[in-house]
Amino acid sequence: MSFAFKERQGQGMALTAGIVAIIVVFSLLPMARLLQEVVLPGGRFSLDVIRAGLVSNTTWVATWNTLCVGLGGTLFALVLGVAVAILVSLSDVRQRQAFVLCFVTPLMIAPQVTALAWLQLFGPSSPMLNLLGVAPPIGTPNPLYSPEGIVLLLGIQYAPLVFLIVRAGLRKLPRELVEAAQSSGAGWLTVLRTIILPLMTPSIVGAAALTFVSCVGNFGIPAFLGIPANYLVLPTLIYQRLAGGGPAVLSEVAFLSVLIGIIAMVGIVLQDRISKRRDFRITSTSLPAAPYHLGAWRLPVEIGMWALIIIILVLPLLGLILTSLVRGYGVTLSAETATLENYRFVVLEHAAASRAFINSLYLSATAAVFAVFVAIPLAYVIAWGKQRWIKALNLAVELPYALPGVVLAIASLLLFLKPMPITGIQIYNTVWIILYAYLARFLVLAVRPTVTGYFQLDRALEEAAQVAGAGLFTRMRTIIFPLIAPVAIAGGLLIFMTALCELTVSALLWSSGSETIGVVIFSFEQGGDSKYAAAVSAIMVATTFLLMLFASLFAKRLPDGVLPWRD
């Protein structure tokens, strides 16, 4: 056996060992620690934690509320997202790219910012309603402080997610099936009911499962809208228990986290069962279905679509901006009363807010850079590996993101409650535990587009270098990295945007000195300082738009679907 062969084999083993170590540290270890706390509290087998959780009335009320808003938000998101996907993909509406950008934007904005923006549209302190002279009397409760309000905002937040998944399926819809039905005299609604929707069942069911998991794990919207109305779901119940009891209640909140995970996994399993009941495979490929000509209906449909954008995006953001300009609660906004003092205060004077900007920029940038460099070799193994354990590896990578963020947060708390073995390093109650959770949770956002990039990459160059004797690491450095880097960097940018204003994980892990932007927005709103919360949120929305526009400059170098807002 030659030295060169041994060297290449050793490099392959080193790559595999490194990938397995990353998966164990960031995926398997925290989940194992969470389960241990539930069934082996104190190192011995006991069902006391489970028994105490099951007999608690509060647990069942929060579970029921979680299921209600989860199913309600999923249904609303499905109806809206599927309808918009069909109109955009299968009709001849104009300005499609601009509409897609606007419709997808709520998904890129943090849920707590969405909740805050909508809260500023209603209620007695709404600057917009005060400008119009129709604000309700002071003391009138905001109508969004209700289960219906939570369902509404969850549906708006995740309808773009449904849209993206269903639209990807519609792009593969074979033209000949649609044209054959139309040539037989079938109307557009008949084609939609008998061909398009049945073939899109896997996409719709998959979108429903992912949306349900996102809804039951969402913290920002139920926290902003549910806590004031004393309507608790499992994530907000965990937050309240942890905030009131600290480490002493970790076993209890660990059980609640596992309960959320079980609910999420039930949704995923049901999706898999439904998808397997019928064969939805398309046996041929062709050009996408020709767009349906709306004729005289095109203008009314386009007006309705842009009216939807005004309702779900423009008005809430306008309410947010107006709130950030008022001097105080209930003050009528005018040219004389408008002020930028709120922006100056949160950027220059408020210590926690200034710290949060720095912390969030550091955390999100570090998570993005880490994910880019890890995603390239990890996706290489997933996309081009032949081993039997590749599928298990892919599932392990998906696990921290597939489960609700609160599950990973509690698992991280349990994992680092005591100093790390051997080193004795303590990261509990520091910014480093938030970084660990970000690295674990968001890695898959870079892995997914990178795998897509590998599938679309011609492997001939890498194989030629291998035949010429180049080792694995040499091929990765000189051939693969330059070719796949744009896709991985785009995934890293998505991570940066997602983590920059994240709340679900950091709300359970932050401590004094390690605040994040999401935590500061939440704290301002909970303390009654909506004008400061609106100022911070407006800054973050503007940052998100700028990042989306910056990423769009490189869209032509990326595979389809890497940037979700690109047509």
Side-chain angles (χ1 to χ4, degrees), residues 112 219 239 242 360 363 405-406 409 433-435 437-438 441-442 499-511 514-520 522:
Q112 68 272 15
F219 174 79
Y239 170 79
L242 199 59
S360 289
L363 290 169
V406 66
I433 191 172
I434 302 178
L435 178 59
Y438 282 8
R441 180 156 176 77
F442 298 126
L500 191 59
C501 211
E502 191 278 336
L503 178 62
T504 302
V505 171
S506 54
L508 300 175
L509 298 179
W510 77 279
S511 59
S514 63
E515 302 92 344
T516 64
I517 294 174
V519 169
V520 166
F522 180 58

PDB file of all heavy atoms in Angstrom, residues 112 219 239 242 360 363 405-406 409 433-435 437-438 441-442 499-511 514-520 522:
ATOM      1  N   GLN A 112     -41.006  38.549  17.122  1.00  0.00           N
ATOM      2  CA  GLN A 112     -41.355  39.570  18.102  1.00  0.00           C
ATOM      3  C   GLN A 112     -41.469  40.950  17.458  1.00  0.00           C
ATOM      4  O   GLN A 112     -42.256  41.789  17.907  1.00  0.00           O
ATOM      5  CB  GLN A 112     -40.343  39.599  19.253  1.00  0.00           C
ATOM      6  CG  GLN A 112     -38.949  40.079  18.901  1.00  0.00           C
ATOM      7  CD  GLN A 112     -38.075  38.945  18.431  1.00  0.00           C
ATOM      8  OE1 GLN A 112     -38.559  37.868  18.110  1.00  0.00           O
ATOM      9  NE2 GLN A 112     -36.772  39.175  18.410  1.00  0.00           N
ATOM     10  N   PHE A 219     -41.921  31.602  20.205  1.00  0.00           N
ATOM     11  CA  PHE A 219     -41.993  32.270  21.513  1.00  0.00           C
ATOM     12  C   PHE A 219     -42.390  33.731  21.388  1.00  0.00           C
ATOM     13  O   PHE A 219     -43.178  34.239  22.185  1.00  0.00           O
ATOM     14  CB  PHE A 219     -40.645  32.162  22.225  1.00  0.00           C
ATOM     15  CG  PHE A 219     -40.577  32.946  23.513  1.00  0.00           C
ATOM     16  CD1 PHE A 219     -41.149  32.440  24.667  1.00  0.00           C
ATOM     17  CD2 PHE A 219     -39.951  34.181  23.567  1.00  0.00           C
ATOM     18  CE1 PHE A 219     -41.106  33.166  25.857  1.00  0.00           C
ATOM     19  CE2 PHE A 219     -39.897  34.908  24.743  1.00  0.00           C
ATOM     20  CZ  PHE A 219     -40.469  34.393  25.897  1.00  0.00           C
ATOM     21  N   TYR A 239     -40.735  29.820  29.898  1.00  0.00           N
ATOM     22  CA  TYR A 239     -40.062  31.086  30.199  1.00  0.00           C
ATOM     23  C   TYR A 239     -40.441  31.597  31.581  1.00  0.00           C
ATOM     24  O   TYR A 239     -39.564  32.010  32.357  1.00  0.00           O
ATOM     25  CB  TYR A 239     -40.427  32.120  29.132  1.00  0.00           C
ATOM     26  CG  TYR A 239     -39.982  33.523  29.470  1.00  0.00           C
ATOM     27  CD1 TYR A 239     -38.654  33.909  29.293  1.00  0.00           C
ATOM     28  CD2 TYR A 239     -40.884  34.445  29.988  1.00  0.00           C
ATOM     29  CE1 TYR A 239     -38.240  35.187  29.613  1.00  0.00           C
ATOM     30  CE2 TYR A 239     -40.481  35.730  30.309  1.00  0.00           C
ATOM     31  CZ  TYR A 239     -39.159  36.098  30.121  1.00  0.00           C
ATOM     32  OH  TYR A 239     -38.755  37.370  30.460  1.00  0.00           O
ATOM     33  N   LEU A 242     -38.940  29.329  34.331  1.00  0.00           N
ATOM     34  CA  LEU A 242     -37.488  29.488  34.440  1.00  0.00           C
ATOM     35  C   LEU A 242     -37.141  30.847  35.028  1.00  0.00           C
ATOM     36  O   LEU A 242     -36.209  30.957  35.840  1.00  0.00           O
ATOM     37  CB  LEU A 242     -36.854  29.324  33.059  1.00  0.00           C
ATOM     38  CG  LEU A 242     -35.349  29.020  33.017  1.00  0.00           C
ATOM     39  CD1 LEU A 242     -35.046  27.727  33.767  1.00  0.00           C
ATOM     40  CD2 LEU A 242     -34.873  28.909  31.577  1.00  0.00           C
ATOM     41  N   SER A 360     -25.314  40.802  19.607  1.00  0.00           N
ATOM     42  CA  SER A 360     -26.036  40.142  18.521  1.00  0.00           C
ATOM     43  C   SER A 360     -25.221  40.133  17.237  1.00  0.00           C
ATOM     44  O   SER A 360     -25.217  39.139  16.502  1.00  0.00           O
ATOM     45  CB  SER A 360     -27.386  40.826  18.279  1.00  0.00           C
ATOM     46  OG  SER A 360     -28.275  40.559  19.345  1.00  0.00           O
ATOM     47  N   LEU A 363     -22.532  37.447  17.855  1.00  0.00           N
ATOM     48  CA  LEU A 363     -23.076  36.088  17.887  1.00  0.00           C
ATOM     49  C   LEU A 363     -23.518  35.639  16.498  1.00  0.00           C
ATOM     50  O   LEU A 363     -23.211  34.516  16.061  1.00  0.00           O
ATOM     51  CB  LEU A 363     -24.246  36.017  18.868  1.00  0.00           C
ATOM     52  CG  LEU A 363     -23.905  36.139  20.352  1.00  0.00           C
ATOM     53  CD1 LEU A 363     -25.174  36.332  21.172  1.00  0.00           C
ATOM     54  CD2 LEU A 363     -23.153  34.914  20.832  1.00  0.00           C
ATOM     55  N   GLY A 405     -37.048  25.810  19.117  1.00  0.00           N
ATOM     56  CA  GLY A 405     -35.855  26.392  19.710  1.00  0.00           C
ATOM     57  C   GLY A 405     -35.808  26.286  21.227  1.00  0.00           C
ATOM     58  O   GLY A 405     -34.730  26.191  21.818  1.00  0.00           O
ATOM     59  N   VAL A 406     -36.968  26.297  21.863  1.00  0.00           N
ATOM     60  CA  VAL A 406     -36.995  26.219  23.323  1.00  0.00           C
ATOM     61  C   VAL A 406     -36.434  24.887  23.813  1.00  0.00           C
ATOM     62  O   VAL A 406     -35.834  24.813  24.892  1.00  0.00           O
ATOM     63  CB  VAL A 406     -38.434  26.432  23.838  1.00  0.00           C
ATOM     64  CG1 VAL A 406     -39.355  25.307  23.420  1.00  0.00           C
ATOM     65  CG2 VAL A 406     -38.463  26.601  25.350  1.00  0.00           C
ATOM     66  N   ALA A 409     -32.713  25.269  23.820  1.00  0.00           N
ATOM     67  CA  ALA A 409     -32.299  26.202  24.870  1.00  0.00           C
ATOM     68  C   ALA A 409     -32.225  25.509  26.228  1.00  0.00           C
ATOM     69  O   ALA A 409     -31.237  25.652  26.971  1.00  0.00           O
ATOM     70  CB  ALA A 409     -33.260  27.388  24.923  1.00  0.00           C
ATOM     71  N   ILE A 433     -22.840  30.555  26.036  1.00  0.00           N
ATOM     72  CA  ILE A 433     -23.869  29.514  25.958  1.00  0.00           C
ATOM     73  C   ILE A 433     -24.876  29.864  24.854  1.00  0.00           C
ATOM     74  O   ILE A 433     -25.410  28.971  24.176  1.00  0.00           O
ATOM     75  CB  ILE A 433     -24.567  29.323  27.324  1.00  0.00           C
ATOM     76  CG1 ILE A 433     -25.424  28.053  27.284  1.00  0.00           C
ATOM     77  CG2 ILE A 433     -25.403  30.528  27.704  1.00  0.00           C
ATOM     78  CD1 ILE A 433     -26.001  27.674  28.642  1.00  0.00           C
ATOM     79  N   ILE A 434     -25.126  31.161  24.652  1.00  0.00           N
ATOM     80  CA  ILE A 434     -25.993  31.572  23.544  1.00  0.00           C
ATOM     81  C   ILE A 434     -25.319  31.251  22.215  1.00  0.00           C
ATOM     82  O   ILE A 434     -25.970  30.768  21.271  1.00  0.00           O
ATOM     83  CB  ILE A 434     -26.319  33.075  23.643  1.00  0.00           C
ATOM     84  CG1 ILE A 434     -26.997  33.392  24.974  1.00  0.00           C
ATOM     85  CG2 ILE A 434     -27.209  33.505  22.476  1.00  0.00           C
ATOM     86  CD1 ILE A 434     -27.306  34.866  25.169  1.00  0.00           C
ATOM     87  N   LEU A 435     -24.015  31.495  22.139  1.00  0.00           N
ATOM     88  CA  LEU A 435     -23.280  31.179  20.917  1.00  0.00           C
ATOM     89  C   LEU A 435     -23.341  29.687  20.605  1.00  0.00           C
ATOM     90  O   LEU A 435     -23.557  29.292  19.456  1.00  0.00           O
ATOM     91  CB  LEU A 435     -21.822  31.624  21.049  1.00  0.00           C
ATOM     92  CG  LEU A 435     -20.910  31.308  19.857  1.00  0.00           C
ATOM     93  CD1 LEU A 435     -21.435  31.968  18.584  1.00  0.00           C
ATOM     94  CD2 LEU A 435     -19.482  31.728  20.147  1.00  0.00           C
ATOM     95  N   ALA A 437     -25.696  27.592  21.419  1.00  0.00           N
ATOM     96  CA  ALA A 437     -27.042  27.275  20.942  1.00  0.00           C
ATOM     97  C   ALA A 437     -27.247  27.759  19.505  1.00  0.00           C
ATOM     98  O   ALA A 437     -27.881  27.069  18.698  1.00  0.00           O
ATOM     99  CB  ALA A 437     -28.086  27.907  21.869  1.00  0.00           C
ATOM    100  N   TYR A 438     -26.714  28.926  19.172  1.00  0.00           N
ATOM    101  CA  TYR A 438     -26.820  29.426  17.798  1.00  0.00           C
ATOM    102  C   TYR A 438     -26.075  28.511  16.823  1.00  0.00           C
ATOM    103  O   TYR A 438     -26.577  28.208  15.728  1.00  0.00           O
ATOM    104  CB  TYR A 438     -26.251  30.842  17.708  1.00  0.00           C
ATOM    105  CG  TYR A 438     -27.151  31.930  18.225  1.00  0.00           C
ATOM    106  CD1 TYR A 438     -28.339  31.633  18.885  1.00  0.00           C
ATOM    107  CD2 TYR A 438     -26.824  33.266  18.054  1.00  0.00           C
ATOM    108  CE1 TYR A 438     -29.163  32.633  19.365  1.00  0.00           C
ATOM    109  CE2 TYR A 438     -27.645  34.287  18.525  1.00  0.00           C
ATOM    110  CZ  TYR A 438     -28.811  33.968  19.182  1.00  0.00           C
ATOM    111  OH  TYR A 438     -29.614  34.973  19.649  1.00  0.00           O
ATOM    112  N   ARG A 441     -28.194  25.359  16.419  1.00  0.00           N
ATOM    113  CA  ARG A 441     -29.525  25.511  15.824  1.00  0.00           C
ATOM    114  C   ARG A 441     -29.478  25.927  14.359  1.00  0.00           C
ATOM    115  O   ARG A 441     -30.273  25.446  13.539  1.00  0.00           O
ATOM    116  CB  ARG A 441     -30.334  26.540  16.619  1.00  0.00           C
ATOM    117  CG  ARG A 441     -31.749  26.766  16.066  1.00  0.00           C
ATOM    118  CD  ARG A 441     -32.676  27.284  17.098  1.00  0.00           C
ATOM    119  NE  ARG A 441     -33.992  27.578  16.570  1.00  0.00           N
ATOM    120  CZ  ARG A 441     -34.924  26.683  16.293  1.00  0.00           C
ATOM    121  NH1 ARG A 441     -34.658  25.400  16.503  1.00  0.00           N
ATOM    122  NH2 ARG A 441     -36.107  27.041  15.833  1.00  0.00           N
ATOM    123  N   PHE A 442     -28.551  26.803  14.003  1.00  0.00           N
ATOM    124  CA  PHE A 442     -28.594  27.403  12.676  1.00  0.00           C
ATOM    125  C   PHE A 442     -27.649  26.770  11.662  1.00  0.00           C
ATOM    126  O   PHE A 442     -27.637  27.184  10.504  1.00  0.00           O
ATOM    127  CB  PHE A 442     -28.310  28.907  12.779  1.00  0.00           C
ATOM    128  CG  PHE A 442     -29.317  29.646  13.604  1.00  0.00           C
ATOM    129  CD1 PHE A 442     -28.923  30.438  14.669  1.00  0.00           C
ATOM    130  CD2 PHE A 442     -30.666  29.544  13.324  1.00  0.00           C
ATOM    131  CE1 PHE A 442     -29.853  31.116  15.438  1.00  0.00           C
ATOM    132  CE2 PHE A 442     -31.612  30.219  14.085  1.00  0.00           C
ATOM    133  CZ  PHE A 442     -31.211  31.013  15.139  1.00  0.00           C
ATOM    134  N   ALA A 499     -30.300  34.988  13.005  1.00  0.00           N
ATOM    135  CA  ALA A 499     -29.798  35.039  14.379  1.00  0.00           C
ATOM    136  C   ALA A 499     -29.728  36.456  14.929  1.00  0.00           C
ATOM    137  O   ALA A 499     -29.707  36.641  16.152  1.00  0.00           O
ATOM    138  CB  ALA A 499     -28.411  34.395  14.450  1.00  0.00           C
ATOM    139  N   LEU A 500     -29.676  37.452  14.058  1.00  0.00           N
ATOM    140  CA  LEU A 500     -29.440  38.818  14.495  1.00  0.00           C
ATOM    141  C   LEU A 500     -30.502  39.313  15.470  1.00  0.00           C
ATOM    142  O   LEU A 500     -30.201  40.059  16.403  1.00  0.00           O
ATOM    143  CB  LEU A 500     -29.379  39.741  13.271  1.00  0.00           C
ATOM    144  CG  LEU A 500     -28.893  41.165  13.507  1.00  0.00           C
ATOM    145  CD1 LEU A 500     -27.483  41.167  14.091  1.00  0.00           C
ATOM    146  CD2 LEU A 500     -28.919  41.967  12.205  1.00  0.00           C
ATOM    147  N   CYS A 501     -31.744  38.914  15.266  1.00  0.00           N
ATOM    148  CA  CYS A 501     -32.830  39.393  16.128  1.00  0.00           C
ATOM    149  C   CYS A 501     -33.563  38.230  16.795  1.00  0.00           C
ATOM    150  O   CYS A 501     -34.722  38.356  17.182  1.00  0.00           O
ATOM    151  CB  CYS A 501     -33.806  40.227  15.293  1.00  0.00           C
ATOM    152  SG  CYS A 501     -34.620  41.560  16.192  1.00  0.00           S
ATOM    153  N   GLU A 502     -32.885  37.086  16.937  1.00  0.00           N
ATOM    154  CA  GLU A 502     -33.482  35.875  17.505  1.00  0.00           C
ATOM    155  C   GLU A 502     -33.895  36.103  18.961  1.00  0.00           C
ATOM    156  O   GLU A 502     -33.242  36.824  19.708  1.00  0.00           O
ATOM    157  CB  GLU A 502     -32.462  34.739  17.403  1.00  0.00           C
ATOM    158  CG  GLU A 502     -33.017  33.361  17.697  1.00  0.00           C
ATOM    159  CD  GLU A 502     -33.098  33.073  19.187  1.00  0.00           C
ATOM    160  OE1 GLU A 502     -32.349  33.692  19.966  1.00  0.00           O
ATOM    161  OE2 GLU A 502     -33.919  32.223  19.558  1.00  0.00           O
ATOM    162  N   LEU A 503     -34.991  35.450  19.380  1.00  0.00           N
ATOM    163  CA  LEU A 503     -35.472  35.617  20.755  1.00  0.00           C
ATOM    164  C   LEU A 503     -35.729  34.296  21.467  1.00  0.00           C
ATOM    165  O   LEU A 503     -35.428  34.163  22.655  1.00  0.00           O
ATOM    166  CB  LEU A 503     -36.765  36.452  20.767  1.00  0.00           C
ATOM    167  CG  LEU A 503     -37.416  36.661  22.137  1.00  0.00           C
ATOM    168  CD1 LEU A 503     -36.483  37.414  23.077  1.00  0.00           C
ATOM    169  CD2 LEU A 503     -38.741  37.394  22.013  1.00  0.00           C
ATOM    170  N   THR A 504     -36.279  33.292  20.763  1.00  0.00           N
ATOM    171  CA  THR A 504     -36.715  32.062  21.431  1.00  0.00           C
ATOM    172  C   THR A 504     -35.603  31.427  22.245  1.00  0.00           C
ATOM    173  O   THR A 504     -35.798  31.048  23.404  1.00  0.00           O
ATOM    174  CB  THR A 504     -37.238  31.056  20.388  1.00  0.00           C
ATOM    175  OG1 THR A 504     -38.302  31.644  19.658  1.00  0.00           O
ATOM    176  CG2 THR A 504     -37.736  29.790  21.078  1.00  0.00           C
ATOM    177  N   VAL A 505     -34.417  31.305  21.681  1.00  0.00           N
ATOM    178  CA  VAL A 505     -33.283  30.691  22.384  1.00  0.00           C
ATOM    179  C   VAL A 505     -32.702  31.643  23.406  1.00  0.00           C
ATOM    180  O   VAL A 505     -32.505  31.292  24.580  1.00  0.00           O
ATOM    181  CB  VAL A 505     -32.202  30.247  21.371  1.00  0.00           C
ATOM    182  CG1 VAL A 505     -30.933  29.816  22.105  1.00  0.00           C
ATOM    183  CG2 VAL A 505     -32.723  29.095  20.517  1.00  0.00           C
ATOM    184  N   SER A 506     -32.429  32.874  22.992  1.00  0.00           N
ATOM    185  CA  SER A 506     -31.743  33.813  23.887  1.00  0.00           C
ATOM    186  C   SER A 506     -32.607  34.247  25.060  1.00  0.00           C
ATOM    187  O   SER A 506     -32.072  34.610  26.117  1.00  0.00           O
ATOM    188  CB  SER A 506     -31.271  35.040  23.094  1.00  0.00           C
ATOM    189  OG  SER A 506     -32.331  35.630  22.378  1.00  0.00           O
ATOM    190  N   ALA A 507     -33.937  34.213  24.926  1.00  0.00           N
ATOM    191  CA  ALA A 507     -34.799  34.600  26.048  1.00  0.00           C
ATOM    192  C   ALA A 507     -34.618  33.684  27.245  1.00  0.00           C
ATOM    193  O   ALA A 507     -34.817  34.098  28.394  1.00  0.00           O
ATOM    194  CB  ALA A 507     -36.266  34.590  25.610  1.00  0.00           C
ATOM    195  N   LEU A 508     -34.230  32.431  27.001  1.00  0.00           N
ATOM    196  CA  LEU A 508     -34.039  31.464  28.079  1.00  0.00           C
ATOM    197  C   LEU A 508     -32.581  31.357  28.515  1.00  0.00           C
ATOM    198  O   LEU A 508     -32.303  30.763  29.560  1.00  0.00           O
ATOM    199  CB  LEU A 508     -34.543  30.089  27.638  1.00  0.00           C
ATOM    200  CG  LEU A 508     -36.016  30.003  27.248  1.00  0.00           C
ATOM    201  CD1 LEU A 508     -36.351  28.616  26.727  1.00  0.00           C
ATOM    202  CD2 LEU A 508     -36.913  30.350  28.430  1.00  0.00           C
ATOM    203  N   LEU A 509     -31.657  31.918  27.738  1.00  0.00           N
ATOM    204  CA  LEU A 509     -30.238  31.735  28.028  1.00  0.00           C
ATOM    205  C   LEU A 509     -29.512  33.010  28.428  1.00  0.00           C
ATOM    206  O   LEU A 509     -28.395  32.936  28.936  1.00  0.00           O
ATOM    207  CB  LEU A 509     -29.529  31.144  26.785  1.00  0.00           C
ATOM    208  CG  LEU A 509     -29.992  29.770  26.316  1.00  0.00           C
ATOM    209  CD1 LEU A 509     -29.208  29.337  25.078  1.00  0.00           C
ATOM    210  CD2 LEU A 509     -29.837  28.731  27.412  1.00  0.00           C
ATOM    211  N   TRP A 510     -30.109  34.170  28.234  1.00  0.00           N
ATOM    212  CA  TRP A 510     -29.388  35.416  28.479  1.00  0.00           C
ATOM    213  C   TRP A 510     -29.233  35.685  29.961  1.00  0.00           C
ATOM    214  O   TRP A 510     -29.978  35.186  30.804  1.00  0.00           O
ATOM    215  CB  TRP A 510     -30.091  36.590  27.804  1.00  0.00           C
ATOM    216  CG  TRP A 510     -31.322  37.069  28.551  1.00  0.00           C
ATOM    217  CD1 TRP A 510     -32.559  36.522  28.507  1.00  0.00           C
ATOM    218  CD2 TRP A 510     -31.398  38.178  29.445  1.00  0.00           C
ATOM    219  NE1 TRP A 510     -33.421  37.214  29.315  1.00  0.00           N
ATOM    220  CE2 TRP A 510     -32.729  38.243  29.903  1.00  0.00           C
ATOM    221  CE3 TRP A 510     -30.485  39.123  29.901  1.00  0.00           C
ATOM    222  CZ2 TRP A 510     -33.165  39.217  30.802  1.00  0.00           C
ATOM    223  CZ3 TRP A 510     -30.917  40.101  30.791  1.00  0.00           C
ATOM    224  CH2 TRP A 510     -32.246  40.139  31.235  1.00  0.00           C
ATOM    225  N   SER A 511     -28.241  36.469  30.275  1.00  0.00           N
ATOM    226  CA  SER A 511     -28.014  36.953  31.633  1.00  0.00           C
ATOM    227  C   SER A 511     -27.509  38.381  31.527  1.00  0.00           C
ATOM    228  O   SER A 511     -27.248  38.885  30.435  1.00  0.00           O
ATOM    229  CB  SER A 511     -26.998  36.070  32.364  1.00  0.00           C
ATOM    230  OG  SER A 511     -25.765  36.045  31.666  1.00  0.00           O
ATOM    231  N   SER A 514     -25.133  39.759  28.743  1.00  0.00           N
ATOM    232  CA  SER A 514     -25.190  38.957  27.516  1.00  0.00           C
ATOM    233  C   SER A 514     -26.531  39.127  26.806  1.00  0.00           C
ATOM    234  O   SER A 514     -27.022  38.215  26.160  1.00  0.00           O
ATOM    235  CB  SER A 514     -24.951  37.474  27.833  1.00  0.00           C
ATOM    236  OG  SER A 514     -25.971  36.966  28.677  1.00  0.00           O
ATOM    237  N   GLU A 515     -27.127  40.303  26.947  1.00  0.00           N
ATOM    238  CA  GLU A 515     -28.400  40.559  26.275  1.00  0.00           C
ATOM    239  C   GLU A 515     -28.224  40.548  24.756  1.00  0.00           C
ATOM    240  O   GLU A 515     -27.183  40.920  24.229  1.00  0.00           O
ATOM    241  CB  GLU A 515     -28.959  41.927  26.692  1.00  0.00           C
ATOM    242  CG  GLU A 515     -29.190  42.089  28.181  1.00  0.00           C
ATOM    243  CD  GLU A 515     -27.989  42.682  28.899  1.00  0.00           C
ATOM    244  OE1 GLU A 515     -26.883  42.676  28.300  1.00  0.00           O
ATOM    245  OE2 GLU A 515     -28.144  43.140  30.035  1.00  0.00           O
ATOM    246  N   THR A 516     -29.275  40.138  24.066  1.00  0.00           N
ATOM    247  CA  THR A 516     -29.310  40.215  22.605  1.00  0.00           C
ATOM    248  C   THR A 516     -30.387  41.212  22.194  1.00  0.00           C
ATOM    249  O   THR A 516     -31.185  41.671  23.017  1.00  0.00           O
ATOM    250  CB  THR A 516     -29.618  38.847  21.985  1.00  0.00           C
ATOM    251  OG1 THR A 516     -30.939  38.431  22.391  1.00  0.00           O
ATOM    252  CG2 THR A 516     -28.592  37.804  22.420  1.00  0.00           C
ATOM    253  N   ILE A 517     -30.402  41.552  20.915  1.00  0.00           N
ATOM    254  CA  ILE A 517     -31.379  42.532  20.445  1.00  0.00           C
ATOM    255  C   ILE A 517     -32.804  42.051  20.680  1.00  0.00           C
ATOM    256  O   ILE A 517     -33.674  42.816  21.101  1.00  0.00           O
ATOM    257  CB  ILE A 517     -31.147  42.817  18.942  1.00  0.00           C
ATOM    258  CG1 ILE A 517     -29.794  43.506  18.753  1.00  0.00           C
ATOM    259  CG2 ILE A 517     -32.261  43.686  18.378  1.00  0.00           C
ATOM    260  CD1 ILE A 517     -29.396  43.698  17.305  1.00  0.00           C
ATOM    261  N   GLY A 518     -33.059  40.760  20.424  1.00  0.00           N
ATOM    262  CA  GLY A 518     -34.395  40.221  20.660  1.00  0.00           C
ATOM    263  C   GLY A 518     -34.819  40.349  22.108  1.00  0.00           C
ATOM    264  O   GLY A 518     -35.969  40.700  22.413  1.00  0.00           O
ATOM    265  N   VAL A 519     -33.900  40.102  23.028  1.00  0.00           N
ATOM    266  CA  VAL A 519     -34.195  40.214  24.458  1.00  0.00           C
ATOM    267  C   VAL A 519     -34.491  41.664  24.833  1.00  0.00           C
ATOM    268  O   VAL A 519     -35.414  41.945  25.613  1.00  0.00           O
ATOM    269  CB  VAL A 519     -33.022  39.660  25.293  1.00  0.00           C
ATOM    270  CG1 VAL A 519     -33.187  40.013  26.762  1.00  0.00           C
ATOM    271  CG2 VAL A 519     -32.899  38.155  25.112  1.00  0.00           C
ATOM    272  N   VAL A 520     -33.731  42.613  24.285  1.00  0.00           N
ATOM    273  CA  VAL A 520     -33.941  44.031  24.603  1.00  0.00           C
ATOM    274  C   VAL A 520     -35.302  44.501  24.104  1.00  0.00           C
ATOM    275  O   VAL A 520     -36.028  45.219  24.804  1.00  0.00           O
ATOM    276  CB  VAL A 520     -32.802  44.882  23.994  1.00  0.00           C
ATOM    277  CG1 VAL A 520     -33.155  46.361  24.015  1.00  0.00           C
ATOM    278  CG2 VAL A 520     -31.512  44.642  24.767  1.00  0.00           C
ATOM    279  N   PHE A 522     -37.947  42.643  23.676  1.00  0.00           N
ATOM    280  CA  PHE A 522     -38.925  42.009  24.561  1.00  0.00           C
ATOM    281  C   PHE A 522     -38.981  42.725  25.906  1.00  0.00           C
ATOM    282  O   PHE A 522     -40.065  42.982  26.453  1.00  0.00           O
ATOM    283  CB  PHE A 522     -38.549  40.540  24.738  1.00  0.00           C
ATOM    284  CG  PHE A 522     -39.477  39.757  25.619  1.00  0.00           C
ATOM    285  CD1 PHE A 522     -40.823  39.656  25.337  1.00  0.00           C
ATOM    286  CD2 PHE A 522     -39.001  39.120  26.762  1.00  0.00           C
ATOM    287  CE1 PHE A 522     -41.680  38.930  26.147  1.00  0.00           C
ATOM    288  CE2 PHE A 522     -39.841  38.399  27.575  1.00  0.00           C
ATOM    289  CZ  PHE A 522     -41.182  38.301  27.272  1.00  0.00           C
TER     290      PHE A 522
END
